[in-house]
Amino acid sequence: MKKIIVTGSHNSVVDEIKAILNYHEFDFMAIGLDAVHLYPWDIRFVATYHPSDIPLIKERRAAVGNTDYKVISHVEAEGVDIVEPYEPPSGSSALLGVLVAIKMGYDKIILCGCPLTGSNGKNQSYEGFREGWVAKKDVVLGKVKSMSGWTKEFLGGLTEEWLTS
């Protein structure tokens, strides 16, 4: 069983990670610039729709943890290791990362700090990204669970039964 925790930048992210039993046994994927420095555990991947942020992502991550991770984006660019072409509608960089994780064989994917509620630092609503998740529901349902917000309502919350099945 391949397990990964996909982490966003919501202020609940660390508490959500710590609520997962044996979270240190999971691989980690950070979502974008604002999430990459929020915890010290090693990450294997960073997913971003903003390849211009890669130099700052590297700088922020180097300040708190490992730097030997792969970068996932929707286009080929300097610093991008894995390309997953964009298919509208967008589900944010979190969905980008989840789709790549599924292709890599992860069958237990847990979202932490990715509620898709509220707005980001640029006052852009996260709710607009829900359409992308709904469009990919046949791909993500059953493989992805969430610890909070709309994504938890849509995907279902983490249960011991799901995690060990």
Side-chain angles (χ1 to χ4, degrees), residues 39-158:
Y39 55 85
W41 307 293
D42 284 356
I43 59 174
R44 293 202 57 204
F45 308 96
V46 173
T48 182
Y49 271 120
H50 307 283
S52 61
D53 287 345
I54 292 172
L56 192 50
I57 286 171
K58 290 182 178 198
E59 184 179 309
R60 285 186 181 180
R61 187 64 200 165
V64 297
N66 68 303
T67 57
D68 58 338
Y69 51 82
K70 302 284 186 197
V71 176
I72 300 164
S73 194
H74 64 299
V75 294
E76 290 185 28
E78 186 174 337
V80 173
D81 301 295
I82 301 168
V83 175
E84 176 67 21
Y86 172 71
E87 288 183 25
S90 176
S92 79
S93 296
L95 181 58
L96 171 70
V98 163
L99 294 174
V100 171
I102 290 169
K103 287 183 177 181
M104 289 188 298
Y106 286 95
D107 51 2
K108 303 292 180 184
I109 302 166
I110 304 169
L111 299 177
C112 293
C114 302
L116 290 187
T117 57
S119 59
N120 65 16
K122 299 173 186 166
N123 208 28
Q124 297 167 320
S125 173
Y126 284 113
E127 293 177 11
F129 293 117
R130 295 176 182 178
E131 187 179 350
W133 288 88
V134 172
K136 296 289 187 190
K137 84 174 176 187
D138 292 342
V139 177
V140 299
L141 287 181
K143 294 178 183 170
V144 186
K145 299 293 181 182
S146 178
M147 298 298 283
S148 64
W150 179 86
T151 53
K152 183 176 180 179
E153 293 170 19
F154 180 68
L155 300 165
L158 179 64

